[in-house]
Amino acid sequence: MTVNDAVATRIMQLLKEKNMTQYRLEKKSYIAHGAMDKILNGLNKTVTLTTIYRLAHGFDMDIYEFLDHDVFRSKYLEIE
């Protein structure tokens, strides 16, 4: 699993958990629809710290809460 895959997995988990739409997250995080689609569909090869910060803000959490998930702790996480 790549870091981008892990971020996409976390986004989908939080959208479901918080009963939030992708559109609402895009508006709250100031991430363009095209950029969000690339992340969620695995087309984006690098996710910046700024993007992760924006995602966390969009979910009304800090960056530590966003990253505090087993998907980021996997020893099989590919770092390119």
Side-chain angles (χ1 to χ4, degrees):
M1 175 180 283
T2 66
V3 172
N4 187 77
D5 294 336
V7 170
T9 298
R10 182 68 167 142
I11 291 169
M12 296 307 293
Q13 180 257 328
L14 286 168
L15 285 173
K16 185 175 181 179
E17 182 180 299
K18 294 180 176 284
N19 195 29
M20 181 185 280
T21 64
Q22 179 181 330
Y23 178 79
R24 183 169 168 223
L25 176 60
E26 290 166 357
K27 293 302 177 194
K28 289 184 72 176
S29 63
Y30 302 101
I31 295 176
H33 178 71
M36 186 71 75
D37 273 349
K38 285 182 179 180
I39 293 169
L40 294 176
N41 292 312
L43 301 174
N44 188 356
K45 299 301 175 198
T46 58
V47 178
T48 66
L49 187 57
T50 300
T51 299
I52 293 173
Y53 176 83
R54 287 180 177 183
L55 288 165
H57 177 77
F59 283 118
D60 296 321
M61 58 177 48
D62 63 37
I63 196 167
Y64 303 108
E65 289 175 284
F66 183 85
L67 295 172
D68 186 23
H69 191 270
D70 289 341
V71 73
F72 296 110
R73 293 186 198 101
S74 172
K75 65 180 179 180
Y76 302 108
L77 194 62
E78 296 174 24
I79 308 295
E80 297 176 9

